[in-house]
Amino acid sequence: MPSVLFVFTLTTKTLSAHLYYVLAPHATIDIASPNGANPPVDEGSVKMFENDPESLKFLANETIKGQAHQCQEAPRMFDLPVDPVNIKLANEFYRPGKIVSAVCHGVAALVGVTDTQGKSIFAGKNVTGFSNAEEEILSKTKDVPFSTEDRIISLGGKYTKADKPF
Ligand SMILES: *[C@@H]1O[C@H](CO)[C@@H](O)[C@H](O)[C@H]1NC(C)=O
Ligand SMILES: *[C@@H]1O[C@H](CO)[C@@H](O)[C@H](O)[C@H]1NC(C)=O
């Protein structure tokens, strides 16, 4: 069975429930966050997904709670993009060809990750992630440290998004 490391932000912007349950039958999942134990959960996301069975199952799962409690100290859209441990970890995954992936704002955590030549891992690749239009809908444009969409494009990524937000 392959191993998967989830890196949790300390800011409250991720809820990785769906991905977790897709991978759980096929991989050993570990989780990490910048300050170790008990990374926070975004209350806004919890409310938005309060009728989503997968998310509820994820939040209630004692195994996952136990993992979060003992979360390894490793490397948030605020902390992770510049966190040296997060960048080092992702570099070390990416360079030998291991899969490094993210969704939504999580993509922002990878903007400092580079290949062995020091080139952004986004350069020349098809990429998506939280869009400027989506930040505007949530009135978050002024609250985020940078635009995920603009940054991907400035790093040479071929940014595309769905016709409709979210
Ligand atoms: C909790 O998560 C673990 C690990 O993915 C899984 O094996 C277990 O079946 C889950 N328990 C419940 C009650 O969903
Ligand atoms: C990137 O997207 C373009 C346009 O949609 C597509 O033609 C191309 O195959 C994609 N490249 C990869 C590596 O998926």
Side-chain angles (χ1 to χ4, degrees):
M1 214 185 230
S3 296
V4 176
L5 178 69
F6 280 21
V7 179
F8 279 34
T9 175
L10 290 187
T11 53
T12 49
K13 298 237 173 215
T14 53
L15 200 69
S16 312
H18 292 163
L19 179 62
Y20 187 93
Y21 282 107
V22 170
L23 293 173
H26 309 289
T28 305
I29 301 177
D30 285 323
I31 63 180
S33 91
N35 287 350
N38 297 321
V41 173
D42 175 24
E43 292 306 327
S45 295
V46 171
K47 266 211 103 50
M48 201 180 305
F49 293 98
E50 64 189 354
N51 296 316
D52 178 58
E54 290 264 288
S55 299
L56 295 175
K57 202 167 82 169
F58 179 80
L59 292 172
N61 187 302
E62 293 299 331
T63 308
I64 300 168
K65 280 193 206 165
Q67 275 186 322
H69 188 61
Q70 299 166 24
C71 196
Q72 299 173 46
E73 186 158 341
R76 0 181 189 173
M77 180 175 185
F78 292 84
D79 51 353
L80 292 176
V82 294
D83 185 292
V85 179
N86 175 55
I87 294 172
K88 183 168 181 286
L89 201 58
N91 284 346
E92 285 171 5
F93 265 67
Y94 181 79
R95 292 176 182 180
K98 291 179 186 171
I99 297 171
V100 172
S101 72
V103 293
C104 199
H105 277 113
V107 179
L110 303 176
V111 298
V113 183
T114 53
D115 66 14
T116 47
Q117 268 95 52
K119 207 170 73 175
S120 169
I121 63 168
F122 294 121
K125 295 211 182 70
N126 290 339
V127 189
T128 191
F130 215 75
S131 70
N132 291 343
E134 289 162 347
E135 298 288 10
E136 275 160 32
I137 289 167
L138 298 179
S139 308
K140 295 283 187 196
T141 306
K142 289 194 173 60
D143 299 333
V144 292
F146 57 87
S147 149
T148 304
E149 177 175 342
D150 293 353
R151 185 66 67 89
I152 289 169
I153 293 168
S154 75
L155 291 169
K158 297 183 195 157
Y159 183 90
T160 55
K161 60 190 169 195
D163 295 338
K164 290 185 184 148
F166 302 105

